[in-house]
Amino acid sequence: MSEPEPEDRKPQSDEAHSAFTQPTGVVSSHAAPEEDSQTTSEFALPRGFAARTAAEQEGSAFRPPPSYSVRDAPPAFTPPGGMPVIRVTKEEPWQDRMRTILRMPVAERPVVEVLQKHDEETGPAVPRVLDLTLRIGELLLAGGEGAEDVEAAMFAVCRSYGLDRVEPNVTFTLLSISYQPSLVDDPVTSSRTVRRRATDYTRLAAVFHLVRDLSDGDIEVSLEEAYRRLAEIRRNRHPYPGWVLSAASGLLAGSASVLVGGGVLVFVAAFLGAMLGDRLAWLCAGRGLPEFYQFTVAAMPPAAVGIALTLLDADVRASAVITGGLFALLPGRALVAGVQDGLTGYYITASARLLEVLYFFVAIVIGVLTALYFGVWVGADLNPDAQLQAVDRPVWQILASMSLALAFAVLLQQERSTVLVVTLNGGIAWVVFGAMHVAGEISMVAATAVAAGLVGLFGQLFSRYRFASALPFVTAAIGPLLPGSATYFGLLGVAQNDLNEGLLSLSKAAALSMAIAIGVNLGSEISRLFIRTPGAASRRAAKRTRGF
C-alpha cells in the first residue's frame, strides 16, 4: 500500500494558479520574511526614518521648522521699492521716528535695530518687555498725553529691546499691545486698564526721559534698571505742596478777573472764592466723590462771592469775579487732547475725551446756575450787558495773562525749569490775541485760533529742543485764551430766562474752545515744516473725498 503524497507535492488545480504567481523555485530578492508580513499603507513611514515626538506629530503647518531662529528671522515681506531705512540717531527726537514708523504698513516697516542688550540665546523676555511697555503707556495716558504719542512711546520701548512686529492700541481707558515673533508663531497679547488719572507733568516729563534713554543706543538700560526707574517715577512726590496749589488756584482766578476788567478788590474776591472752591473740591475728593461733583462744588464759591458783592452794592464788577472763578475750572487740557486725538484719527479716544469735557462742563453749569438762581431770587442785580464794556489796559492785561499762565503751570505740577518758558508763551498768546481782536478788530474766534496756533508752534519747538512732551509747554499757555467770560454770560442768560442770549453766548464759548483746540493742533503740525522728520517722504495720509 503506497503512502499518501505530501500536500506540497500534490498537483494543484488550475484555479489555484494565477498569472501573477511566481513559478516554483524562483526566490524573490525583495521578499520579506513571513513573520514581518503585515498590512501596510502608502502613507506609512519608510524604513530608517526616525519618528518624531508626540508634540511634533501634533503640530501644524504653521509651526516653525527646527532651523528657524526668532532672532535671525528674515523680513516677512520685501516691497518692490526695497525696505525703507530710518536711522535711529540722536539728532532726531524719538517721537518723530516712532510716529513715522507707526504710520507705515507693517510689511514696509524697517528692520528693528536692537538698542538695549539681552540674552543672545533666548532673546528678549517678551512678557516682561510688554509689561514694561504697558506700564509706561499707562503713566502717559493717565497724565493726559495724546493717544498717538502714547502709541509712539510704547512702540519705541518694544523696538529698543528688539521686539519687531508690535502693534500697540490705545483707547481712553484701555491699553493693549500685540507681538508676533514671526508669521508662523502665535501672537502674544497683553492689556492694561487705566482706572485713575492724575495731572502731574513732572512725572510725565520723567517718563519721556526714560523712553528717550531707552531709545538711545549709547545708553544701556536693562529691564531691571527700567523697572527701577519706573518705580521711582511712581513714588516721587509732587513738586508743589497742597497749600501752593490752593494759592495757585486763587492766583489764576484773580489774574483772570483782572484780564476781563477787574480791579484790586475784584482780584482779592476772585482769589478768595477760587481758594474756597479748591478746598471744597479737595474735601469732596477725600470723601471719594466723583470728579463731576467736585467740579460742581468748586464752581459755587466764586459765583457766591460775586453775588454777595452785588448784594452789598460794592462798586465792583461781579461778572469779573465769577468769570475768574470759571477760568480755574474750565477743562482746557482735556479739550485740547480730545480734539487732537480726533484730528489724528483716534476717534474712539477723542469721543471719550470730549464726553468727559462735556460732563465737566455740565458740572460747572450746575454749580454756577445754582448760585445764580439763588442770587436772582434774593434780588441781586446781575447785569448781562457788562460784557459790552471794553477795557483797554494792555500792560496790566499782559501781566495778568503771564500770571495766569504761571499759576496754571503750578496747578499742572510742571517742572520748575519749564515754568518761565510757559509764562512767556502765555504772554505772547495774549499779545497776539489783543493785537488782532482789539487793535485790528478781527473776529474773536479767528484771533483766538491764531494765538492758539502760535502757542502750539512754540510748544512743539520747545519740546523738540528738550526731547520732551509738548503738553507742559502748551496747556498752561492757552489759559488766557479760555472762554470764561462767554461761558459766564451764557449761564447768566439761562438763569434770567433769556434763552436766546444765553444759548448764543454758550455757542460762542463752544466756538472759542474749538478754535483753541484746533489752533494748537495746527500749530503743532506746522512746526513739522521746520523740523527734518526721518522718513518724511514715506509719510502717507488717508485720502478720502465726498465722505466715502
Side-chain angles (χ1 to χ4, degrees), residues 151-460:
E151 284 195 358
M154 296 171 65
F155 197 66
V157 174
C158 289
R159 289 182 68 88
S160 298
Y161 287 102
L163 298 188
D164 201 0
R165 302 184 184 92
V166 173
E167 285 297 329
N169 187 24
V170 176
T171 58
F172 185 60
T173 57
L174 182 65
L175 297 168
S176 63
I177 186 167
S178 179
Y179 167 65
Q180 189 172 13
S182 67
L183 296 178
V184 295
D185 276 334
D186 296 330
V188 180
T189 303
S190 299
S191 62
R192 195 172 184 89
T193 302
V194 179
R195 303 186 183 277
R196 186 174 180 269
R197 301 177 184 275
T199 303
D200 188 346
Y201 282 177
T202 299
R203 177 181 295 175
L204 191 70
V207 176
F208 263 74
H209 185 72
L210 174 59
V211 178
R212 184 187 66 183
D213 290 347
L214 291 176
S215 303
D216 191 347
D218 297 335
I219 302 177
E220 183 178 349
V221 183
S222 63
L223 275 174
E224 289 73 16
E225 176 68 13
Y227 268 107
R228 185 190 63 80
R229 291 179 57 177
L230 195 61
E232 290 180 354
I233 293 173
R234 286 182 175 274
R235 288 195 301 264
N236 279 348
R237 296 175 60 88
H238 297 309
Y240 308 102
W243 67 269
V244 174
L245 298 180
S246 296
S249 179
L251 178 62
L252 192 155
S255 302
S257 64
V258 174
L259 202 62
V260 295
V264 177
L265 184 58
V266 169
F267 177 89
V268 174
F271 185 93
L272 295 177
M275 284 191 63
L276 179 59
D278 181 74
R279 288 293 91 190
L280 289 177
W282 276 95
L283 179 62
C284 294
R287 299 293 181 179
L289 291 178
E291 285 186 300
F292 180 88
Y293 301 106
Q294 297 176 28
F295 272 81
T296 302
V297 172
M300 291 182 180
V305 171
I307 293 171
L309 292 177
T310 302
L311 293 175
L312 294 175
D313 293 330
D315 188 16
V316 295
R317 295 182 62 183
S319 60
V321 177
I322 301 175
T323 299
L326 289 177
F327 265 83
L329 297 175
L330 292 177
R333 172 183 57 87
L335 176 66
V336 171
V339 174
Q340 179 182 0
D341 287 341
L343 294 177
T344 52
Y346 295 84
Y347 299 114
I348 297 178
T349 307
S351 301
R353 289 188 189 273
L354 294 178
L355 185 60
E356 181 188 40
V357 171
L358 178 61
Y359 270 101
F360 289 163
F361 190 78
V362 170
I364 297 171
V365 168
I366 293 175
V368 175
L369 279 181
T370 301
L372 292 181
Y373 274 124
F374 178 77
V376 172
W377 180 69
V378 297
D381 185 16
L382 300 173
N383 183 16
D385 295 331
Q387 60 178 324
L388 301 178
Q389 301 174 5
V391 179
D392 188 11
R393 297 182 302 179
V395 177
W396 284 104
Q397 287 177 326
I398 292 174
L399 294 177
S401 65
M402 296 176 66
S403 176
L404 191 154
L406 171 64
F408 211 160
V410 174
L411 287 175
L412 294 174
Q413 303 280 0
Q414 290 193 196
E415 292 180 299
R416 292 181 174 88
S417 59
T418 64
V419 170
L420 178 60
V421 174
V422 171
T423 302
L424 294 176
N425 202 8
I428 293 174
W430 182 259
V431 168
V432 173
F433 171 79
M436 295 184 63
H437 177 61
V438 179
E441 298 182 353
I442 300 176
S443 169
M444 181 179 291
V445 176
T448 300
V450 173
L454 288 178
V455 168
L457 174 61
F458 294 152
Q460 284 291 334

Side-chain angles (χ1 to χ4, degrees), residues 361 445 483 486-487 490 500-514:
F361 190 78
V445 176
T487 302
N500 292 331
E501 291 296 329
L503 294 178
L504 180 62
S505 185
L506 288 177
S507 63
K508 180 180 178 182
L512 291 174
S513 301
M514 293 299 294

Side-chain angles (χ1 to χ4, degrees), residues 85-101 113 115 156 211-213 215-217 463-468 528 530-536:
V85 178
I86 296 181
R87 297 298 180 186
V88 182
T89 60
K90 292 183 179 180
E91 287 74 16
E92 291 140 355
W94 61 265
Q95 300 100 307
D96 292 336
R97 300 195 304 266
M98 296 302 112
R99 189 182 293 110
T100 302
I101 299 175
E113 298 183 19
L115 304 178
V211 178
R212 184 187 66 183
D213 290 347
S215 303
D216 191 347
S463 69
R464 292 303 185 267
Y465 175 74
R466 295 174 59 95
F467 282 36
R528 304 183 193 281
F530 305 97
I531 301 175
R532 185 174 61 87
T533 303

